[in-house]
Amino acid sequence: MPEQNPENILRRAEDLARRCVRQDRILSSSFLTPAEQSVVQGWVHRSSLECSILFQGGRLECERKLALFLPPGVKEESLSLDPYIQAVEVANHYKPLCHRDYLGAALSLGLKRETLGDIWVLEPGAFFFCTPTAAEFILQNLVQVGKSGVTVRRVSLDALPSPPGASIPVRFTVQSPRLDAIVRSLFHISRPDAVKAIASGRVMLNYMPCLRPDMEVHEKDILSFRGHGKAKISEFGGTTRRGRLSVSAELYR
């Protein structure tokens, strides 16, 4: 699915921020991809906002998230996600299905992609994160995925099982926190191959293409390497006796 135009994303965010303060109520964007979230986050850092902005996908592990605009006085810890994000379980007891099958079935109903968040495929079925309106539509209309009949039911966000693709903690050392050094050690490739992958646009830093092998990587940064996986930098530790920097990360395959 193509990304939204950054200018359109920012115009929408600015409008929601103004209305949030003027109407003194919580407002929500549609579901945003990680790259689209980065666009909004960059704007937040550059702007003086009277409201606060919170990104939520339903569960901490979700990638696609809503931007929630909170008026002054509303605290994050008191916020219920139910009016903004709901989960639907789609049970399939026939042949195994993939993410594309479930997404295609939802889109074929006429739903727009931005009303749907992550889709976790956990056999024998899947879990959809979606807006309340999309959840209700799925509950009323989704009866088949591919050629398999399915049953659907609403489930609590707190009751969902762990997502697929759980991360693996890894530790390694690098000479410096340069992007090419991190990619080399994380994904077990040679330094020249890491440089080549970065130059070809196959490596994403915080979901945005980064063509600079010398770009410094920081704690909490997300690295994606097309065809190899994704990782989150957890922590930079001390240096070893040989002067190398210790790195802790979570690797997703």
Side-chain angles (χ1 to χ4, degrees):
M1 296 292 171
E3 304 282 350
Q4 296 183 57
N5 185 302
E7 293 183 359
N8 292 337
I9 295 172
L10 292 183
R11 278 197 295 268
R12 178 61 174 160
E14 291 170 352
D15 177 62
L16 288 170
R18 287 193 296 267
R19 288 170 50 206
C20 167
V21 175
R22 185 173 66 248
Q23 300 173 9
D24 191 31
R25 67 188 182 97
I26 300 171
L27 295 176
S28 170
S29 73
S30 57
F31 279 99
L32 303 173
T33 66
E36 292 164 350
Q37 293 166 44
S38 294
V39 171
V40 176
Q41 287 173 328
W43 166 72
V44 170
H45 294 323
R46 299 190 304 269
S47 305
S48 298
L49 300 175
E50 296 181 57
C51 64
S52 56
I53 299 180
L54 174 67
F55 293 92
Q56 284 284 355
R59 284 280 292 268
L60 181 64
E61 303 91 344
C62 290
E63 289 195 348
R64 298 179 67 93
K65 298 178 180 179
L66 306 172
L68 296 172
F69 294 75
L70 313 182
V74 175
K75 303 298 183 183
E76 176 182 343
E77 54 269 21
S78 64
L79 179 66
S80 169
L81 293 180
D82 289 344
Y84 313 100
I85 305 173
Q86 294 183 4
V88 175
E89 179 183 16
V90 180
N92 156 52
H93 299 287
Y94 299 93
K95 65 177 184 178
L97 297 168
C98 65
H99 183 281
R100 181 185 300 177
D101 296 321
Y102 289 104
L103 177 59
L107 297 180
S108 70
L109 296 176
L111 290 170
K112 294 184 177 180
R113 184 64 180 98
E114 57 265 29
T115 68
L116 304 171
D118 282 16
I119 300 174
W120 290 355
V121 179
L122 295 171
E123 293 296 344
F127 294 91
F128 283 71
F129 295 85
C130 40
T131 64
T133 300
E136 191 61 35
F137 195 79
I138 290 172
L139 290 167
Q140 294 181 8
N141 296 281
L142 186 61
V143 295
Q144 184 171 314
V145 176
K147 296 182 179 180
S148 298
V150 296
T151 57
V152 295
R153 68 183 183 100
R154 197 188 313 270
V155 292
S156 168
L157 294 173
D158 295 332
L160 294 177
S162 298
S167 63
I168 303 170
V170 295
R171 293 180 63 88
F172 54 93
T173 62
V174 291
Q175 193 67 44
S176 74
R178 286 170 49 120
L179 180 60
D180 54 354
I182 298 289
V183 169
R184 173 193 179 186
S185 295
L186 260 175
F187 300 105
H188 304 290
I189 61 175
S190 69
R191 189 70 167 264
D193 284 345
V195 172
K196 183 177 179 180
I198 294 167
S200 66
R202 295 175 60 203
V203 175
M204 310 280 278
L205 180 61
N206 295 321
Y207 302 103
M208 300 294 287
C210 182
L211 303 180
R212 287 180 48 194
D214 63 342
M215 177 66 76
E216 184 174 346
V217 177
H218 300 91
E219 291 182 356
K220 312 305 180 185
D221 279 351
I222 306 291
L223 280 75
S224 305
F225 184 6
R226 192 181 311 147
H228 289 260
K230 181 178 70 172
K232 179 178 182 179
I233 304 301
S234 306
E235 182 182 22
F236 286 112
T239 55
T240 67
R241 292 179 180 178
R242 296 185 178 182
R244 293 177 65 84
L245 180 63
S246 175
V247 185
S248 298
E250 295 291 327
L251 182 63
Y252 300 81
R253 291 295 189 179

